[in-house]
């Protein structure tokens, strides 16, 4: 019963966030979108791995973090996944990912970013965390996507195993490339304690994979953490995404975001399901079955031109 209550609360907050995003978009229609510039309608859904123990924090699902931001020239989406191993050292893994995304959001809203360089946005956010008088310790993967409204071009930067998928007319037309040092050990931005600096994986923001491509009206964009990609097979994911091609109703979009999050959550705790994670493990000679319990974040959007 407690789990059901938590699920209801989380989805209610996710639904409200989606409607709030849409409301802000509609208000701006009178100004920024007068010329029907390309823009994004986005919603969010997700679950922390430990539902009963988790406290609701804006912009977070467990150790995952996310943000959305709109300025005159661009729409920006981002997700990050804090590395849970820091918990054994008394460090909250969600603090680093959350602060990384909050700093990205602030830089965007203050106009301190270049639409065609999301990797620079990640780098500037990361460097601010490094320079804090009280450093925010931890590690995180990250994926940032920017829609340049003037050119209808999307620019992406991805480091680690969070990522994005773009679906058009039922087909994947673009997707991120996972970055791994070795099995289940993704590239990550890190800020370790001084006495751990030599023993912790720490990749530079410049290591991020970057892409750019034109988008079309109705394109479906999914940004998600590995809690989604490790559990939901491509065929199931694409089927869900294809169902919201061209959707401009935030409630319909939210329902599909919720469906993807539910699906990932269910598979994560199914010990018999042949998940992408178990298939990847077998390719490394590791005999694993079932899903991978993890925090889950779904940022779902459609392009409106």
């Amino acid at each position: 019963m407690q789990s059901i209550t938590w699920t209801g609360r989380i989805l209610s907050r996710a639904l409200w966030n989606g409607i709030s995003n849409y409301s802000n978009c509609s208000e701006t229609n009178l100004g920024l979108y007068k010329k029907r510039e390309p823009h994004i309608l986005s919603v969010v859904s997700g679950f922390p791995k430990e539902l009963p123990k988790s406290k609701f924090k804006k912009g977070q699902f467990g150790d995952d973090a996310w943000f959305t931001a709109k300025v005159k020239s661009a729409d920006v989406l981002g997700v990050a996944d804090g590395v849970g191993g820091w918990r054994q050292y008394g460090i909250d893994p969600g603090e680093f990912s959350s602060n990384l995304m909050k700093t990205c959001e602030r830089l965007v809203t203050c106009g301190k970013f270049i639409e065609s360089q999301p990797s620079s946005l990640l780098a500037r956010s990361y460097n601010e965390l490094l320079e804090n008088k009280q450093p925010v310790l931890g590690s995180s993967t990250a994926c940032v996507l920017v829609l340049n409204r003037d050119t209808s071009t999307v620019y992406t930067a991805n480091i680690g195993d969070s990522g994005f998928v773009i679906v058009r007319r039922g087909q994947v037309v673009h997707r991120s490339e996972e970055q791994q040092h070795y099995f289940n050990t993704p590239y990550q931005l890190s800020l370790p304690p001084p006495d751990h600096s030599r023993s912790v994986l720490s990749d530079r923001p410049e290591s991020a994979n970057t892409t750019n491509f034109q988008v079309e009206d109705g394109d479906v964009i999914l940004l998600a953490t590995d809690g989604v990609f490790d559990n939901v097979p491509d065929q199931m994911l694409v089927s869900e995404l294809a169902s919201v091609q061209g959707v401009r109703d935030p409630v319909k979009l939210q329902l599909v975001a919720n469906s993807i999050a539910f699906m990932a959550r269910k598979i994560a705790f199914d010990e018999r399901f042949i998940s992408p994670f178990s298939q990847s493990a077998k390719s490394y000679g590791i005999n694993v079955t079932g899903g991978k319990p993890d925090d889950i974040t779904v940022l779902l959007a459609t392009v409106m031109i």
Side-chain angles (χ1 to χ4, degrees):
M1 180 63 71
Q2 189 175 19
S3 177
I4 294 173
T5 303
W6 264 92
T7 300
R9 289 176 181 172
I10 289 170
L11 291 182
S12 296
R13 286 159 176 159
L15 178 59
W16 172 247
N17 181 80
I19 293 173
S20 298
N21 281 348
Y22 182 75
S23 299
N24 291 338
C25 186
S26 299
E27 290 166 7
T28 319
N29 257 340
L30 300 175
L32 300 184
Y33 304 146
K34 183 180 283 187
K35 297 181 181 179
R36 290 194 57 80
E37 294 173 333
H39 57 285
I40 285 175
L41 169 66
S42 66
V43 297
V44 66
S45 188
F47 294 96
K49 177 182 173 181
E50 305 290 344
L51 274 174
K53 297 179 182 179
S54 296
K55 295 181 180 179
F56 176 77
K57 295 181 181 179
K58 184 179 179 181
Q60 286 184 254
F61 293 108
D63 300 335
D64 286 359
W66 59 272
F67 82 96
T68 64
K70 295 176 180 290
V71 292
K72 185 175 182 180
S73 60
D75 291 311
V76 187
L77 310 175
V79 295
D81 178 4
V83 175
W86 285 108
R87 193 167 280 107
Q88 64 182 308
Y89 298 101
I91 295 171
D92 179 355
E95 283 296 306
F96 186 87
S97 56
S98 175
N99 278 276
L100 185 69
M101 292 292 95
K102 286 178 180 178
T103 305
C104 282
E105 181 179 10
R106 176 175 53 78
L107 291 171
V108 171
T109 55
C110 291
K112 296 180 179 179
F113 80 111
I114 300 172
E115 291 84 353
S116 60
Q117 297 179 15
S119 59
S120 296
L121 175 61
L122 268 179
R124 186 163 185 173
S125 178
Y126 174 64
N127 288 330
E128 283 202 15
L129 297 188
L130 291 179
E131 294 166 2
N132 279 350
K133 292 182 179 179
Q134 293 183 331
V136 180
L137 304 178
S139 306
S140 178
T141 66
C143 182
V144 173
L145 180 148
V146 181
L147 169 65
N148 184 318
R149 293 195 185 130
D150 291 335
T151 62
S152 298
T153 302
V154 159
Y155 297 87
T156 71
N158 184 66
I159 186 160
D161 57 5
S162 293
F164 70 89
V165 176
I166 312 291
V167 168
R168 179 182 301 157
R169 292 183 284 278
Q171 300 294 321
V172 175
V173 291
H174 300 284
R175 74 180 310 156
S176 55
E177 186 176 325
E178 186 179 81
Q179 295 177 309
Q180 296 264 10
H181 288 284
Y182 40 87
F183 176 66
N184 204 28
T185 308
Y187 280 35
Q188 53 201 259
L189 302 176
S190 300
L191 181 50
D195 55 340
H196 286 77
S197 58
R198 293 185 179 182
S199 59
V200 171
L201 289 172
S202 184
D203 300 287
R204 298 295 303 167
E206 294 77 19
S207 299
N209 282 333
T210 59
T211 61
N212 66 85
F213 44 86
Q214 295 289 121
V215 289
E216 298 180 5
D217 183 52
D219 281 357
V220 183
I221 300 172
L222 170 69
L223 255 71
T225 53
D226 65 331
V228 174
F229 297 119
D230 278 346
N231 288 303
V232 184
D234 277 358
Q235 186 176 359
M236 297 172 67
L237 197 56
V238 172
S239 177
E240 290 288 328
L241 297 177
S243 71
V244 288
Q245 171 83 34
V247 165
R248 302 190 177 205
D249 181 346
V251 176
K252 289 182 179 179
L253 196 63
Q254 187 69 59
L255 289 174
V256 173
N258 294 349
S259 176
I260 294 171
F262 266 123
M263 191 185 304
R265 174 78 179 177
K266 182 179 179 180
I267 293 172
F269 290 92
D270 186 336
E271 296 179 355
R272 296 183 179 181
F273 193 88
I274 302 175
S275 65
F277 178 77
S278 64
Q279 291 177 318
S280 177
K282 287 178 182 178
S283 71
Y284 282 86
I286 303 170
N287 188 20
V288 173
T289 57
K292 178 191 174 188
D294 204 349
D295 301 314
I296 293 163
T297 297
V298 174
L299 252 179
L300 183 61
T302 54
V303 177
M304 302 166 68
I305 298 178

